[in-house]
Every structure is written in structure tokens, then in C-alpha cells.
Amino acid sequence: MVKITIMGASGTIGKNVAFTLAKEDQIHEIVMFSRPTSNDRVKGEIRDMYDALSADNIDVILTPSCEYEDLKDSAIVLITSGTPRKEGMNRLDLAIPNAKIVEEYSKNIAKYAPDSIILIVTNPVDVMTSIALDASGFDKHRVIGLGNHLDSLRLKTILSKFFQINSGEIHTRVIGEHGDHMVPLLSSTTIGGIPLKYYVESTQLDVPALVNEVRTAGNKIISKKGATEYGPSYAISNLIATIVNDSRKVLTVSTYLEGEVEGVYDVSLGVPVILCKRGIKDIIPVRMEDDERMEFFEAARTVKKCTYKVKDTLKEEE
Ligand code: NAP
């Protein structure tokens, strides 16, 4: 019997994740937690989802809630609450207001679901991962941020369209910040098992344009339709399914680093990890080319600076 909770359930990501997970029919109960002002909205979403799910005979329990007690026994608690980015806004602009929400919710998760895994989606996600880690007091393998897995899916799509081959043949990864300082790891990218640099048509690839396309992918979606929804929701459901099924897949998530990758420490960043039902089983100390390593260090500097700024502000306002 697997139970998970989604916080910020009336939002675009919250409700889409709930429906995506419900359709997969691997979870027994999904608690859709919201602020009291959104409770009616959530109840409406649930009625609508039940109608759709009955077409596939799926009997998942969807529970609307505004009470922290309902988090009890959740294997995973997902935090999607926060102000989303508007067009042209940097993810870091959202840091302080969103950190206050993440801090309060993480403290309550620790109190009401002390054995859970916290999965953070709220942006800027790398900073929020550190805030949730501190506020919950959980071991770092149980506090995970989604960001670069979504960026990696975007890079996979771009490569698959460029080479016109099935996306399943492409293994690639974006690490670093989920933001301007993301690092597409082309040195670890393979196509049909062949390293990208040896792949026959790779000379035709305009690498700077490719990198720019991945970095701006989220902004382009937001400028056209106001928000991202299907991409993040499926990326989140990948992470949750991997954890729930103890699949031990290598996925790129934000985690607090203590020197495991290129000696970077005291900052949460996206790196490849093995995910299991306990959360992060191992961080993979991936090798990089010199230019990738420099960009990874720059991501660490930027995110660490912002994390300290946010932590100092939260302390001052205590
Ligand atoms: P949204 O539709 O505006 O939903 C955000 C939800 O946050 C609201 O529905 C509300 O939920 C809750 N909320 C808003 N203000 C709040 C406050 N002051 N206190 C407590 N809860 C509050 O936004 P979205 O598109 O779902 O995006 C949610 C977050 O995910 C944003 O920070 C966005 O930037 C981030 N995001 C991250 C990724 C990633 O890859 N990491 C991808 C996409 C989006 P309730 O009223 O139901 O509680």
C-alpha cells in the first residue's frame, strides 16, 4: 500500500502530477494537500479525475486535504507550492518567498511524515533542496530536488529530433543548476551506445546552439503557454516510480553535495544518482571535460551564493 502526498495540489504541476501518477496505477492513495482557499478547487479536480480514471478501471484513492495530519505514512511528500516563474523572470527571483513556504512545509513533513522522502519541485529548486534539508533535519538521501532530470529529457528530445532516431537510443544528462548554469554533459552522451563524439553525424551538430536550446527550453514554453506542465509532471512521475518500485535507475536530481562530484561541497546541485526506495542510494562521481567542469564550478558558486543569501534572510526574519 503506497501513499504519497502532493503539496500545492491545486497548482498546474500539483494537479498534473496527481493525474499522471493516478493513471499509472502504482500508488494506492494520493493526498492532494492545499491551502484551505484552494480546497474546493482540489475537490473539483478530484471529481473530474475520478471520471477519467473510471474509464480505465483505476481505483486509486485521491484525498483532498488541508491538514498536516493527513501526511502521516506518506512514502514520498512532493512540494510543488510556490510562485511560478513569469516570462523573463529568473528562477532565483523567486527564492525568498518560496523558501518561506518550503521551510514551513518541510518542518511539518518532518513532524507528520518523519520516515518519508521529500521531493522538491518549487523553484529555484537547487536552493529549495538545501532549505528543505535544513528545515526537515532529514538525512540528505531523503531530500531530493527535481530539475536536471527534466533538462536531460529536453536534451534527449533535441538530439532525437536532430538525428531522427528513437529517443530511447539516446543516453544523455544535464547536471549543475536547474537554471542558467545548467551543464549539458555532452562528453557522457551516447547514441545507440556510441559516444557522441564518435557518432557519424555528430560533426553536423552545432553544439553552442544545442546548449542554448536546452537552457532556454523552459522559458520558451512559458512564453508561449504561460507554464510548463506535461514535461515536469512526467519527469516527477519518473522519479516517484523509480523510488516506489526500488528500480535503482540512474537519474539526475538535485542533492546536497559534500565533495562527491569534482570536490564540490556545501551546495545542492543536479548530479547523477542511483535512486532506490530509500531515496538516493549513491551519488555517481561523474567525470567531466575541462570546460564542463568549469561550468559545473560556476553553477556551484552561483547556487551557493543564492542559498546563503536566502538562509541569511530567513534567519533575520525569524
Ligand atoms: P502554480 O500553478 O501557480 O501553483 C503553485 C501552487 O503553489 C498554488 O496552486 C498553491 O497551491 C501554492 N501556493 C502559491 N502561493 C502560495 C503561498 N503563498 N503559500 C503556500 N502555497 C502557495 O505553479 P506551478 O506551475 O504548479 O509551479 C509550481 C512551482 O514549481 C513553481 O515554483 C515553479 O517554478 C516550479 N517548477 C519547477 C520545475 C522543476 O523542474 N523543478 C518545473 C516546473 C515548475 P495550493 O493553493 O493548492 O496550496
Side-chain angles (χ1 to χ4, degrees), residues 148-160:
N148 287 154
H149 177 51
L150 173 61
D151 300 319
S152 303
L153 295 177
R154 287 172 176 160
L155 178 54
K156 184 164 96 160
T157 306
I158 294 166
L159 290 171
S160 143

Side-chain angles (χ1 to χ4, degrees), residues 10-13 34-35 38 80-84 101 121 123 146 178 228:
S10 73
T12 307
I13 304 293
S34 72
R35 295 172 296 175
S38 307
T80 70
S81 309
T83 314
I101 304 171
V121 178
N123 273 322
L146 167 95
H178 175 56
T228 57

